[in-house]
Amino acid sequence: MRKVTAAVMASTLAFSAFSQAAGVITGDNRSSTEGIAQQSGQGHMFDGISLTEHQRQQMRDLMQRARHDQPPVNVSEMETMHRLVTAENFDESAVRAQADKMAQEQVARQVEMAKVRNQMFHLLTPEQQAVLNQKHQQRMDQLREVARMQKNAESTLFSSNTRSNQ
């Protein structure tokens, strides 16, 4: 059930992030992309990168095209999932089928956004790309550290629960 909920939430959040990123790029005239970074599905992809006016315009154009080509969120699929979740009798196979269908739609949206981000990345100069790659590596190092700390906390919790149950 957690996977189903996660799939539904991921789908909704991805669409929301996509819409917000498009709005930030098309409606903003700043020299950096901090707003894009904080509101796009990529997190902080363009954080700290200063863009030329020409680059900003190219990114706006890419996002406008992507937003235009993006299929709308399929509300009926979400309604179907809600009906399955709230049904008198739980039908696991129907929920799995619905979750799979919704997940495939989410995959298609993520692929499309990755394509747009790739196009945006290639609008950057080699120096801007290097900064972006360096910042990405720093974020990955931070995430690895968080994952390590979570793993340690889980193993500590498990071992203390095992001792208290004996």
Side-chain angles (χ1 to χ4, degrees):
M1 193 56 158
R2 286 183 186 171
K3 289 180 182 179
V4 172
T5 303
V8 171
M9 292 302 295
S11 176
T12 304
L13 290 172
F15 179 75
S16 174
F18 177 79
S19 298
Q20 289 174 351
V24 170
I25 291 171
T26 57
D28 193 313
N29 221 12
R30 298 182 304 191
S31 62
S32 77
T33 56
E34 290 175 23
I36 296 167
Q38 292 177 359
Q39 297 198 10
S40 73
Q42 185 64 16
H44 303 284
M45 181 173 177
F46 294 104
D47 192 17
I49 306 294
S50 294
L51 301 174
T52 66
E53 180 57 38
H54 182 67
Q55 287 173 317
R56 283 194 307 276
Q57 185 59 51
Q58 288 176 307
M59 288 191 182
R60 283 186 207 110
D61 293 344
L62 281 172
M63 286 304 295
Q64 282 179 333
R65 267 184 270 136
R67 185 176 44 200
H68 181 266
D69 296 341
Q70 185 77 8
V73 169
N74 194 337
V75 176
S76 68
E77 298 298 341
M78 295 169 77
E79 287 290 339
T80 299
M81 181 60 79
H82 178 74
R83 281 192 301 278
L84 290 168
V85 168
T86 59
E88 186 70 31
N89 297 312
F90 183 73
D91 183 351
E92 184 173 342
S93 63
V95 170
R96 282 186 186 279
Q98 184 64 22
D100 286 343
K101 187 175 184 180
M102 293 173 74
Q104 288 305 312
E105 291 175 359
Q106 175 62 19
V107 167
R109 282 190 290 276
Q110 287 182 355
V111 167
E112 190 57 36
M113 275 312 301
K115 180 180 172 184
V116 170
R117 288 190 301 265
N118 175 267
Q119 292 169 334
M120 289 177 162
F121 179 79
H122 289 287
L123 292 175
L124 301 175
T125 66
E127 294 81 18
Q128 290 170 322
Q129 290 177 356
V131 169
L132 199 72
N133 286 331
Q134 178 186 22
K135 290 187 176 294
H136 172 76
Q137 188 58 50
Q138 289 171 350
R139 282 190 305 278
M140 292 299 101
D141 292 344
Q142 290 171 343
L143 287 174
R144 283 184 192 94
E145 180 62 20
V146 167
R148 186 189 63 74
M149 290 170 56
Q150 287 174 338
K151 185 177 178 181
N152 289 343
E154 287 173 8
S155 64
T156 302
L157 178 62
F158 178 73
S159 64
S160 66
N161 281 344
T162 303
R163 277 185 250 133
S164 65
N165 290 335
Q166 292 176 355

